[in-house]
PDB file of all heavy atoms in Angstrom:
ATOM      1  N   LEU A   4       5.534  12.627  -8.799  1.00  0.00           N
ATOM      2  CA  LEU A   4       5.762  13.900  -8.124  1.00  0.00           C
ATOM      3  C   LEU A   4       4.476  14.707  -8.161  1.00  0.00           C
ATOM      4  O   LEU A   4       3.857  14.870  -9.224  1.00  0.00           O
ATOM      5  CB  LEU A   4       6.884  14.654  -8.825  1.00  0.00           C
ATOM      6  CG  LEU A   4       7.154  16.088  -8.350  1.00  0.00           C
ATOM      7  CD1 LEU A   4       7.633  16.093  -6.902  1.00  0.00           C
ATOM      8  CD2 LEU A   4       8.183  16.754  -9.266  1.00  0.00           C
ATOM      9  N   VAL A   5       4.079  15.222  -7.014  1.00  0.00           N
ATOM     10  CA  VAL A   5       2.852  16.010  -6.926  1.00  0.00           C
ATOM     11  C   VAL A   5       3.060  17.132  -5.924  1.00  0.00           C
ATOM     12  O   VAL A   5       3.866  16.996  -4.987  1.00  0.00           O
ATOM     13  CB  VAL A   5       1.669  15.102  -6.511  1.00  0.00           C
ATOM     14  CG1 VAL A   5       1.865  14.538  -5.120  1.00  0.00           C
ATOM     15  CG2 VAL A   5       0.344  15.820  -6.638  1.00  0.00           C
ATOM     16  N   GLN A   6       2.347  18.226  -6.126  1.00  0.00           N
ATOM     17  CA  GLN A   6       2.428  19.329  -5.180  1.00  0.00           C
ATOM     18  C   GLN A   6       1.574  19.050  -3.951  1.00  0.00           C
ATOM     19  O   GLN A   6       0.596  18.293  -4.014  1.00  0.00           O
ATOM     20  CB  GLN A   6       1.974  20.631  -5.846  1.00  0.00           C
ATOM     21  CG  GLN A   6       2.942  21.169  -6.868  1.00  0.00           C
ATOM     22  CD  GLN A   6       2.548  22.547  -7.362  1.00  0.00           C
ATOM     23  OE1 GLN A   6       1.368  22.883  -7.394  1.00  0.00           O
ATOM     24  NE2 GLN A   6       3.531  23.338  -7.762  1.00  0.00           N
ATOM     25  N   ALA A   7       1.941  19.667  -2.859  1.00  0.00           N
ATOM     26  CA  ALA A   7       1.158  19.538  -1.635  1.00  0.00           C
ATOM     27  C   ALA A   7      -0.295  19.922  -1.910  1.00  0.00           C
ATOM     28  O   ALA A   7      -0.573  20.899  -2.616  1.00  0.00           O
ATOM     29  CB  ALA A   7       1.742  20.416  -0.541  1.00  0.00           C
ATOM     30  N   GLY A   8      -1.201  19.126  -1.348  1.00  0.00           N
ATOM     31  CA  GLY A   8      -2.617  19.335  -1.590  1.00  0.00           C
ATOM     32  C   GLY A   8      -3.172  18.538  -2.748  1.00  0.00           C
ATOM     33  O   GLY A   8      -4.391  18.456  -2.930  1.00  0.00           O
ATOM     34  N   GLY A   9      -2.283  17.954  -3.529  1.00  0.00           N
ATOM     35  CA  GLY A   9      -2.694  17.183  -4.687  1.00  0.00           C
ATOM     36  C   GLY A   9      -3.074  15.759  -4.354  1.00  0.00           C
ATOM     37  O   GLY A   9      -3.114  15.359  -3.177  1.00  0.00           O
ATOM     38  N   SER A  10      -3.342  14.988  -5.410  1.00  0.00           N
ATOM     39  CA  SER A  10      -3.793  13.620  -5.256  1.00  0.00           C
ATOM     40  C   SER A  10      -3.008  12.680  -6.164  1.00  0.00           C
ATOM     41  O   SER A  10      -2.519  13.097  -7.221  1.00  0.00           O
ATOM     42  CB  SER A  10      -5.280  13.498  -5.606  1.00  0.00           C
ATOM     43  OG  SER A  10      -6.091  14.283  -4.761  1.00  0.00           O
ATOM     44  N   LEU A  11      -2.906  11.442  -5.743  1.00  0.00           N
ATOM     45  CA  LEU A  11      -2.347  10.360  -6.551  1.00  0.00           C
ATOM     46  C   LEU A  11      -3.132   9.100  -6.238  1.00  0.00           C
ATOM     47  O   LEU A  11      -3.651   8.951  -5.114  1.00  0.00           O
ATOM     48  CB  LEU A  11      -0.875  10.113  -6.236  1.00  0.00           C
ATOM     49  CG  LEU A  11       0.187  11.043  -6.809  1.00  0.00           C
ATOM     50  CD1 LEU A  11       1.555  10.664  -6.255  1.00  0.00           C
ATOM     51  CD2 LEU A  11       0.197  11.000  -8.317  1.00  0.00           C
ATOM     52  N   ARG A  12      -3.175   8.190  -7.201  1.00  0.00           N
ATOM     53  CA  ARG A  12      -3.736   6.866  -6.954  1.00  0.00           C
ATOM     54  C   ARG A  12      -2.697   5.812  -7.296  1.00  0.00           C
ATOM     55  O   ARG A  12      -2.221   5.750  -8.431  1.00  0.00           O
ATOM     56  CB  ARG A  12      -5.004   6.622  -7.762  1.00  0.00           C
ATOM     57  CG  ARG A  12      -5.708   5.326  -7.345  1.00  0.00           C
ATOM     58  CD  ARG A  12      -7.009   5.081  -8.050  1.00  0.00           C
ATOM     59  NE  ARG A  12      -6.816   4.509  -9.380  1.00  0.00           N
ATOM     60  CZ  ARG A  12      -7.725   3.760 -10.008  1.00  0.00           C
ATOM     61  NH1 ARG A  12      -8.890   3.511  -9.425  1.00  0.00           N
ATOM     62  NH2 ARG A  12      -7.492   3.307 -11.218  1.00  0.00           N
ATOM     63  N   LEU A  13      -2.384   5.008  -6.307  1.00  0.00           N
ATOM     64  CA  LEU A  13      -1.469   3.887  -6.503  1.00  0.00           C
ATOM     65  C   LEU A  13      -2.261   2.622  -6.805  1.00  0.00           C
ATOM     66  O   LEU A  13      -3.355   2.421  -6.273  1.00  0.00           O
ATOM     67  CB  LEU A  13      -0.614   3.657  -5.264  1.00  0.00           C
ATOM     68  CG  LEU A  13       0.181   4.856  -4.735  1.00  0.00           C
ATOM     69  CD1 LEU A  13       1.026   4.424  -3.540  1.00  0.00           C
ATOM     70  CD2 LEU A  13       1.031   5.468  -5.817  1.00  0.00           C
ATOM     71  N   SER A  14      -1.676   1.777  -7.635  1.00  0.00           N
ATOM     72  CA  SER A  14      -2.272   0.486  -7.965  1.00  0.00           C
ATOM     73  C   SER A  14      -1.287  -0.625  -7.633  1.00  0.00           C
ATOM     74  O   SER A  14      -0.070  -0.427  -7.739  1.00  0.00           O
ATOM     75  CB  SER A  14      -2.625   0.406  -9.447  1.00  0.00           C
ATOM     76  OG  SER A  14      -3.539   1.404  -9.823  1.00  0.00           O
ATOM     77  N   CYS A  15      -1.813  -1.765  -7.263  1.00  0.00           N
ATOM     78  CA  CYS A  15      -0.985  -2.944  -6.996  1.00  0.00           C
ATOM     79  C   CYS A  15      -1.673  -4.138  -7.637  1.00  0.00           C
ATOM     80  O   CYS A  15      -2.738  -4.570  -7.173  1.00  0.00           O
ATOM     81  CB  CYS A  15      -0.816  -3.152  -5.506  1.00  0.00           C
ATOM     82  SG  CYS A  15      -0.015  -4.728  -5.083  1.00  0.00           S
ATOM     83  N   ALA A  16      -1.056  -4.654  -8.684  1.00  0.00           N
ATOM     84  CA  ALA A  16      -1.602  -5.807  -9.387  1.00  0.00           C
ATOM     85  C   ALA A  16      -0.971  -7.084  -8.858  1.00  0.00           C
ATOM     86  O   ALA A  16       0.262  -7.184  -8.774  1.00  0.00           O
ATOM     87  CB  ALA A  16      -1.340  -5.671 -10.883  1.00  0.00           C
ATOM     88  N   ALA A  17      -1.803  -8.047  -8.513  1.00  0.00           N
ATOM     89  CA  ALA A  17      -1.330  -9.326  -7.988  1.00  0.00           C
ATOM     90  C   ALA A  17      -1.308 -10.377  -9.101  1.00  0.00           C
ATOM     91  O   ALA A  17      -2.076 -10.292 -10.066  1.00  0.00           O
ATOM     92  CB  ALA A  17      -2.231  -9.789  -6.853  1.00  0.00           C
ATOM     93  N   SER A  18      -0.442 -11.372  -8.910  1.00  0.00           N
ATOM     94  CA  SER A  18      -0.266 -12.417  -9.923  1.00  0.00           C
ATOM     95  C   SER A  18      -1.317 -13.515  -9.828  1.00  0.00           C
ATOM     96  O   SER A  18      -1.338 -14.426 -10.659  1.00  0.00           O
ATOM     97  CB  SER A  18       1.127 -13.041  -9.786  1.00  0.00           C
ATOM     98  OG  SER A  18       1.275 -13.622  -8.500  1.00  0.00           O
ATOM     99  N   ARG A  19      -2.175 -13.453  -8.799  1.00  0.00           N
ATOM    100  CA  ARG A  19      -3.203 -14.460  -8.616  1.00  0.00           C
ATOM    101  C   ARG A  19      -4.457 -13.788  -8.071  1.00  0.00           C
ATOM    102  O   ARG A  19      -4.415 -12.597  -7.724  1.00  0.00           O
ATOM    103  CB  ARG A  19      -2.728 -15.549  -7.661  1.00  0.00           C
ATOM    104  CG  ARG A  19      -2.150 -15.021  -6.364  1.00  0.00           C
ATOM    105  CD  ARG A  19      -2.352 -15.939  -5.195  1.00  0.00           C
ATOM    106  NE  ARG A  19      -3.719 -15.906  -4.702  1.00  0.00           N
ATOM    107  CZ  ARG A  19      -4.177 -16.673  -3.735  1.00  0.00           C
ATOM    108  NH1 ARG A  19      -3.375 -17.564  -3.166  1.00  0.00           N
ATOM    109  NH2 ARG A  19      -5.432 -16.589  -3.329  1.00  0.00           N
ATOM    110  N   SER A  20      -5.503 -14.530  -7.949  1.00  0.00           N
ATOM    111  CA  SER A  20      -6.735 -13.978  -7.404  1.00  0.00           C
ATOM    112  C   SER A  20      -6.513 -13.453  -5.996  1.00  0.00           C
ATOM    113  O   SER A  20      -5.850 -14.095  -5.180  1.00  0.00           O
ATOM    114  CB  SER A  20      -7.815 -15.057  -7.362  1.00  0.00           C
ATOM    115  OG  SER A  20      -8.945 -14.587  -6.657  1.00  0.00           O
ATOM    116  N   ILE A  21      -7.052 -12.274  -5.715  1.00  0.00           N
ATOM    117  CA  ILE A  21      -6.908 -11.679  -4.385  1.00  0.00           C
ATOM    118  C   ILE A  21      -8.119 -11.964  -3.514  1.00  0.00           C
ATOM    119  O   ILE A  21      -8.180 -11.529  -2.374  1.00  0.00           O
ATOM    120  CB  ILE A  21      -6.650 -10.156  -4.462  1.00  0.00           C
ATOM    121  CG1 ILE A  21      -7.872  -9.425  -5.034  1.00  0.00           C
ATOM    122  CG2 ILE A  21      -5.395  -9.866  -5.268  1.00  0.00           C
ATOM    123  CD1 ILE A  21      -7.766  -7.913  -4.944  1.00  0.00           C
ATOM    124  N   PHE A  22      -9.068 -12.715  -4.053  1.00  0.00           N
ATOM    125  CA  PHE A  22     -10.342 -12.934  -3.345  1.00  0.00           C
ATOM    126  C   PHE A  22     -10.124 -13.496  -1.950  1.00  0.00           C
ATOM    127  O   PHE A  22     -10.778 -13.083  -1.003  1.00  0.00           O
ATOM    128  CB  PHE A  22     -11.221 -13.876  -4.161  1.00  0.00           C
ATOM    129  CG  PHE A  22     -12.520 -14.223  -3.486  1.00  0.00           C
ATOM    130  CD1 PHE A  22     -13.554 -13.305  -3.448  1.00  0.00           C
ATOM    131  CD2 PHE A  22     -12.720 -15.461  -2.886  1.00  0.00           C
ATOM    132  CE1 PHE A  22     -14.757 -13.607  -2.824  1.00  0.00           C
ATOM    133  CE2 PHE A  22     -13.917 -15.771  -2.272  1.00  0.00           C
ATOM    134  CZ  PHE A  22     -14.935 -14.843  -2.245  1.00  0.00           C
ATOM    135  N   SER A  23      -9.185 -14.431  -1.830  1.00  0.00           N
ATOM    136  CA  SER A  23      -9.023 -15.114  -0.544  1.00  0.00           C
ATOM    137  C   SER A  23      -7.738 -14.735   0.179  1.00  0.00           C
ATOM    138  O   SER A  23      -7.429 -15.315   1.225  1.00  0.00           O
ATOM    139  CB  SER A  23      -9.043 -16.629  -0.755  1.00  0.00           C
ATOM    140  OG  SER A  23      -7.983 -17.012  -1.603  1.00  0.00           O
ATOM    141  N   ILE A  24      -7.003 -13.780  -0.346  1.00  0.00           N
ATOM    142  CA  ILE A  24      -5.766 -13.378   0.337  1.00  0.00           C
ATOM    143  C   ILE A  24      -6.136 -12.759   1.674  1.00  0.00           C
ATOM    144  O   ILE A  24      -6.961 -11.844   1.747  1.00  0.00           O
ATOM    145  CB  ILE A  24      -4.937 -12.410  -0.517  1.00  0.00           C
ATOM    146  CG1 ILE A  24      -4.382 -13.149  -1.740  1.00  0.00           C
ATOM    147  CG2 ILE A  24      -3.811 -11.796   0.301  1.00  0.00           C
ATOM    148  CD1 ILE A  24      -3.540 -12.303  -2.660  1.00  0.00           C
ATOM    149  N   THR A  25      -5.510 -13.230   2.728  1.00  0.00           N
ATOM    150  CA  THR A  25      -5.893 -12.873   4.086  1.00  0.00           C
ATOM    151  C   THR A  25      -5.905 -11.356   4.301  1.00  0.00           C
ATOM    152  O   THR A  25      -6.901 -10.790   4.752  1.00  0.00           O
ATOM    153  CB  THR A  25      -4.947 -13.525   5.094  1.00  0.00           C
ATOM    154  OG1 THR A  25      -4.900 -14.934   4.846  1.00  0.00           O
ATOM    155  CG2 THR A  25      -5.410 -13.272   6.518  1.00  0.00           C
ATOM    156  N   VAL A  26      -4.788 -10.720   4.017  1.00  0.00           N
ATOM    157  CA  VAL A  26      -4.665  -9.273   4.175  1.00  0.00           C
ATOM    158  C   VAL A  26      -3.801  -8.732   3.046  1.00  0.00           C
ATOM    159  O   VAL A  26      -2.760  -9.307   2.720  1.00  0.00           O
ATOM    160  CB  VAL A  26      -3.984  -8.881   5.518  1.00  0.00           C
ATOM    161  CG1 VAL A  26      -3.933  -7.368   5.662  1.00  0.00           C
ATOM    162  CG2 VAL A  26      -4.682  -9.519   6.696  1.00  0.00           C
ATOM    163  N   MET A  27      -4.210  -7.612   2.479  1.00  0.00           N
ATOM    164  CA  MET A  27      -3.358  -6.871   1.553  1.00  0.00           C
ATOM    165  C   MET A  27      -3.286  -5.436   2.035  1.00  0.00           C
ATOM    166  O   MET A  27      -4.186  -4.957   2.742  1.00  0.00           O
ATOM    167  CB  MET A  27      -3.909  -6.924   0.128  1.00  0.00           C
ATOM    168  CG  MET A  27      -3.890  -8.319  -0.466  1.00  0.00           C
ATOM    169  SD  MET A  27      -4.237  -8.338  -2.231  1.00  0.00           S
ATOM    170  CE  MET A  27      -2.712  -7.614  -2.894  1.00  0.00           C
ATOM    171  N   GLY A  28      -2.204  -4.780   1.682  1.00  0.00           N
ATOM    172  CA  GLY A  28      -2.100  -3.424   2.172  1.00  0.00           C
ATOM    173  C   GLY A  28      -0.967  -2.638   1.560  1.00  0.00           C
ATOM    174  O   GLY A  28      -0.268  -3.117   0.657  1.00  0.00           O
ATOM    175  N   TRP A  29      -0.818  -1.440   2.073  1.00  0.00           N
ATOM    176  CA  TRP A  29       0.220  -0.521   1.636  1.00  0.00           C
ATOM    177  C   TRP A  29       1.058  -0.098   2.839  1.00  0.00           C
ATOM    178  O   TRP A  29       0.517   0.183   3.914  1.00  0.00           O
ATOM    179  CB  TRP A  29      -0.410   0.727   1.005  1.00  0.00           C
ATOM    180  CG  TRP A  29      -1.103   0.463  -0.282  1.00  0.00           C
ATOM    181  CD1 TRP A  29      -2.429   0.182  -0.464  1.00  0.00           C
ATOM    182  CD2 TRP A  29      -0.504   0.426  -1.579  1.00  0.00           C
ATOM    183  NE1 TRP A  29      -2.690  -0.027  -1.794  1.00  0.00           N
ATOM    184  CE2 TRP A  29      -1.536   0.122  -2.503  1.00  0.00           C
ATOM    185  CE3 TRP A  29       0.789   0.626  -2.064  1.00  0.00           C
ATOM    186  CZ2 TRP A  29      -1.291   0.015  -3.874  1.00  0.00           C
ATOM    187  CZ3 TRP A  29       1.021   0.524  -3.415  1.00  0.00           C
ATOM    188  CH2 TRP A  29      -0.010   0.223  -4.311  1.00  0.00           C
ATOM    189  N   TYR A  30       2.366  -0.082   2.629  1.00  0.00           N
ATOM    190  CA  TYR A  30       3.321   0.403   3.597  1.00  0.00           C
ATOM    191  C   TYR A  30       4.162   1.467   2.913  1.00  0.00           C
ATOM    192  O   TYR A  30       4.210   1.543   1.688  1.00  0.00           O
ATOM    193  CB  TYR A  30       4.221  -0.735   4.084  1.00  0.00           C
ATOM    194  CG  TYR A  30       3.523  -1.735   4.971  1.00  0.00           C
ATOM    195  CD1 TYR A  30       2.567  -2.616   4.461  1.00  0.00           C
ATOM    196  CD2 TYR A  30       3.806  -1.810   6.333  1.00  0.00           C
ATOM    197  CE1 TYR A  30       1.910  -3.526   5.274  1.00  0.00           C
ATOM    198  CE2 TYR A  30       3.168  -2.724   7.159  1.00  0.00           C
ATOM    199  CZ  TYR A  30       2.232  -3.578   6.617  1.00  0.00           C
ATOM    200  OH  TYR A  30       1.588  -4.478   7.431  1.00  0.00           O
ATOM    201  N   ARG A  31       4.847   2.279   3.709  1.00  0.00           N
ATOM    202  CA  ARG A  31       5.736   3.280   3.124  1.00  0.00           C
ATOM    203  C   ARG A  31       7.000   3.410   3.950  1.00  0.00           C
ATOM    204  O   ARG A  31       6.997   3.173   5.150  1.00  0.00           O
ATOM    205  CB  ARG A  31       5.042   4.627   2.987  1.00  0.00           C
ATOM    206  CG  ARG A  31       4.689   5.307   4.300  1.00  0.00           C
ATOM    207  CD  ARG A  31       3.856   6.565   4.024  1.00  0.00           C
ATOM    208  NE  ARG A  31       3.505   7.269   5.243  1.00  0.00           N
ATOM    209  CZ  ARG A  31       2.690   8.314   5.294  1.00  0.00           C
ATOM    210  NH1 ARG A  31       2.134   8.787   4.153  1.00  0.00           N
ATOM    211  NH2 ARG A  31       2.426   8.908   6.435  1.00  0.00           N
ATOM    212  N   GLN A  32       8.058   3.800   3.248  1.00  0.00           N
ATOM    213  CA  GLN A  32       9.360   3.971   3.899  1.00  0.00           C
ATOM    214  C   GLN A  32      10.013   5.237   3.384  1.00  0.00           C
ATOM    215  O   GLN A  32      10.324   5.346   2.188  1.00  0.00           O
ATOM    216  CB  GLN A  32      10.256   2.760   3.640  1.00  0.00           C
ATOM    217  CG  GLN A  32      11.545   2.777   4.425  1.00  0.00           C
ATOM    218  CD  GLN A  32      12.243   1.433   4.380  1.00  0.00           C
ATOM    219  OE1 GLN A  32      12.003   0.608   3.509  1.00  0.00           O
ATOM    220  NE2 GLN A  32      13.125   1.204   5.340  1.00  0.00           N
ATOM    221  N   ALA A  33      10.202   6.181   4.290  1.00  0.00           N
ATOM    222  CA  ALA A  33      10.901   7.420   3.966  1.00  0.00           C
ATOM    223  C   ALA A  33      12.397   7.211   4.182  1.00  0.00           C
ATOM    224  O   ALA A  33      12.798   6.322   4.945  1.00  0.00           O
ATOM    225  CB  ALA A  33      10.388   8.558   4.835  1.00  0.00           C
ATOM    226  N   PRO A  34      13.245   8.019   3.551  1.00  0.00           N
ATOM    227  CA  PRO A  34      14.695   7.855   3.706  1.00  0.00           C
ATOM    228  C   PRO A  34      15.121   7.896   5.170  1.00  0.00           C
ATOM    229  O   PRO A  34      14.733   8.802   5.916  1.00  0.00           O
ATOM    230  CB  PRO A  34      15.270   9.037   2.933  1.00  0.00           C
ATOM    231  CG  PRO A  34      14.233   9.354   1.916  1.00  0.00           C
ATOM    232  CD  PRO A  34      12.920   9.082   2.585  1.00  0.00           C
ATOM    233  N   GLY A  35      15.891   6.907   5.579  1.00  0.00           N
ATOM    234  CA  GLY A  35      16.399   6.860   6.933  1.00  0.00           C
ATOM    235  C   GLY A  35      15.398   6.440   7.990  1.00  0.00           C
ATOM    236  O   GLY A  35      15.698   6.481   9.184  1.00  0.00           O
ATOM    237  N   LYS A  36      14.205   6.034   7.561  1.00  0.00           N
ATOM    238  CA  LYS A  36      13.169   5.648   8.524  1.00  0.00           C
ATOM    239  C   LYS A  36      12.735   4.212   8.279  1.00  0.00           C
ATOM    240  O   LYS A  36      13.013   3.620   7.249  1.00  0.00           O
ATOM    241  CB  LYS A  36      11.979   6.600   8.411  1.00  0.00           C
ATOM    242  CG  LYS A  36      12.308   8.035   8.798  1.00  0.00           C
ATOM    243  CD  LYS A  36      11.063   8.879   8.888  1.00  0.00           C
ATOM    244  CE  LYS A  36      11.384  10.279   9.370  1.00  0.00           C
ATOM    245  NZ  LYS A  36      10.164  11.122   9.506  1.00  0.00           N
ATOM    246  N   GLN A  37      12.013   3.664   9.227  1.00  0.00           N
ATOM    247  CA  GLN A  37      11.515   2.297   9.093  1.00  0.00           C
ATOM    248  C   GLN A  37      10.296   2.268   8.177  1.00  0.00           C
ATOM    249  O   GLN A  37       9.682   3.302   7.918  1.00  0.00           O
ATOM    250  CB  GLN A  37      11.153   1.729  10.464  1.00  0.00           C
ATOM    251  CG  GLN A  37       9.966   2.419  11.123  1.00  0.00           C
ATOM    252  CD  GLN A  37       9.652   1.841  12.496  1.00  0.00           C
ATOM    253  OE1 GLN A  37      10.485   1.228  13.154  1.00  0.00           O
ATOM    254  NE2 GLN A  37       8.426   2.023  12.947  1.00  0.00           N
ATOM    255  N   ARG A  38       9.982   1.076   7.721  1.00  0.00           N
ATOM    256  CA  ARG A  38       8.808   0.891   6.877  1.00  0.00           C
ATOM    257  C   ARG A  38       7.571   0.841   7.775  1.00  0.00           C
ATOM    258  O   ARG A  38       7.498   0.046   8.702  1.00  0.00           O
ATOM    259  CB  ARG A  38       8.939  -0.394   6.057  1.00  0.00           C
ATOM    260  CG  ARG A  38       7.897  -0.552   4.991  1.00  0.00           C
ATOM    261  CD  ARG A  38       8.177  -1.778   4.124  1.00  0.00           C
ATOM    262  NE  ARG A  38       9.447  -1.649   3.400  1.00  0.00           N
ATOM    263  CZ  ARG A  38       9.866  -2.524   2.494  1.00  0.00           C
ATOM    264  NH1 ARG A  38       9.090  -3.571   2.172  1.00  0.00           N
ATOM    265  NH2 ARG A  38      11.013  -2.352   1.880  1.00  0.00           N
ATOM    266  N   ASP A  39       6.609   1.682   7.479  1.00  0.00           N
ATOM    267  CA  ASP A  39       5.422   1.810   8.322  1.00  0.00           C
ATOM    268  C   ASP A  39       4.154   1.445   7.558  1.00  0.00           C
ATOM    269  O   ASP A  39       4.049   1.685   6.357  1.00  0.00           O
ATOM    270  CB  ASP A  39       5.267   3.252   8.828  1.00  0.00           C
ATOM    271  CG  ASP A  39       6.337   3.641   9.831  1.00  0.00           C
ATOM    272  OD1 ASP A  39       6.781   2.761  10.598  1.00  0.00           O
ATOM    273  OD2 ASP A  39       6.713   4.824   9.850  1.00  0.00           O
ATOM    274  N   LEU A  40       3.189   0.929   8.300  1.00  0.00           N
ATOM    275  CA  LEU A  40       1.895   0.612   7.717  1.00  0.00           C
ATOM    276  C   LEU A  40       1.158   1.887   7.331  1.00  0.00           C
ATOM    277  O   LEU A  40       1.169   2.873   8.086  1.00  0.00           O
ATOM    278  CB  LEU A  40       1.072  -0.188   8.713  1.00  0.00           C
ATOM    279  CG  LEU A  40      -0.337  -0.601   8.294  1.00  0.00           C
ATOM    280  CD1 LEU A  40      -0.670  -1.977   8.845  1.00  0.00           C
ATOM    281  CD2 LEU A  40      -1.388   0.390   8.749  1.00  0.00           C
ATOM    282  N   VAL A  41       0.516   1.848   6.158  1.00  0.00           N
ATOM    283  CA  VAL A  41      -0.327   2.963   5.731  1.00  0.00           C
ATOM    284  C   VAL A  41      -1.798   2.553   5.812  1.00  0.00           C
ATOM    285  O   VAL A  41      -2.607   3.228   6.439  1.00  0.00           O
ATOM    286  CB  VAL A  41       0.012   3.393   4.292  1.00  0.00           C
ATOM    287  CG1 VAL A  41      -0.952   4.483   3.806  1.00  0.00           C
ATOM    288  CG2 VAL A  41       1.457   3.860   4.194  1.00  0.00           C
ATOM    289  N   ALA A  42      -2.130   1.428   5.178  1.00  0.00           N
ATOM    290  CA  ALA A  42      -3.517   0.971   5.163  1.00  0.00           C
ATOM    291  C   ALA A  42      -3.554  -0.503   4.794  1.00  0.00           C
ATOM    292  O   ALA A  42      -2.688  -0.977   4.059  1.00  0.00           O
ATOM    293  CB  ALA A  42      -4.342   1.775   4.160  1.00  0.00           C
ATOM    294  N   THR A  43      -4.550  -1.204   5.316  1.00  0.00           N
ATOM    295  CA  THR A  43      -4.751  -2.610   4.969  1.00  0.00           C
ATOM    296  C   THR A  43      -6.218  -2.869   4.653  1.00  0.00           C
ATOM    297  O   THR A  43      -7.108  -2.142   5.108  1.00  0.00           O
ATOM    298  CB  THR A  43      -4.322  -3.551   6.097  1.00  0.00           C
ATOM    299  OG1 THR A  43      -5.103  -3.268   7.271  1.00  0.00           O
ATOM    300  CG2 THR A  43      -2.847  -3.414   6.414  1.00  0.00           C
ATOM    301  N   ILE A  44      -6.436  -3.942   3.887  1.00  0.00           N
ATOM    302  CA  ILE A  44      -7.781  -4.408   3.598  1.00  0.00           C
ATOM    303  C   ILE A  44      -7.770  -5.927   3.730  1.00  0.00           C
ATOM    304  O   ILE A  44      -6.910  -6.612   3.163  1.00  0.00           O
ATOM    305  CB  ILE A  44      -8.263  -3.950   2.206  1.00  0.00           C
ATOM    306  CG1 ILE A  44      -9.712  -4.362   1.975  1.00  0.00           C
ATOM    307  CG2 ILE A  44      -7.347  -4.432   1.092  1.00  0.00           C
ATOM    308  CD1 ILE A  44     -10.366  -3.609   0.810  1.00  0.00           C
ATOM    309  N   ARG A  45      -8.685  -6.436   4.519  1.00  0.00           N
ATOM    310  CA  ARG A  45      -8.736  -7.863   4.783  1.00  0.00           C
ATOM    311  C   ARG A  45      -9.635  -8.565   3.764  1.00  0.00           C
ATOM    312  O   ARG A  45     -10.379  -7.903   3.024  1.00  0.00           O
ATOM    313  CB  ARG A  45      -9.234  -8.120   6.200  1.00  0.00           C
ATOM    314  CG  ARG A  45      -8.361  -7.469   7.273  1.00  0.00           C
ATOM    315  CD  ARG A  45      -8.728  -7.944   8.660  1.00  0.00           C
ATOM    316  NE  ARG A  45      -8.372  -9.336   8.867  1.00  0.00           N
ATOM    317  CZ  ARG A  45      -7.175  -9.758   9.268  1.00  0.00           C
ATOM    318  NH1 ARG A  45      -6.221  -8.880   9.526  1.00  0.00           N
ATOM    319  NH2 ARG A  45      -6.940 -11.038   9.434  1.00  0.00           N
TER     320      ARG A  45
END
């Protein structure tokens, strides 16, 4: 929980090396809405 204007850092730990994983990224889903892309890194 954070106030508007604030910052957070999310982390995602993988079970294997990510060096060669084609694409990794973040998606988000708000209540009653579809899951949307936020950001990706190839």
Side-chain angles (χ1 to χ4, degrees):
L4 173 64
V5 64
Q6 289 188 331
S10 299
L11 282 175
R12 189 176 81 154
L13 306 183
S14 300
C15 171
S18 60
R19 50 149 285 176
S20 171
I21 66 171
F22 177 76
S23 61
I24 292 180
T25 306
V26 182
M27 294 191 71
W29 292 93
Y30 289 70
R31 67 187 181 186
Q32 188 167 20
K36 295 189 176 182
Q37 67 181 22
R38 190 174 297 186
D39 291 327
L40 179 144
V41 175
T43 60
I44 184 164
R45 301 190 69 86

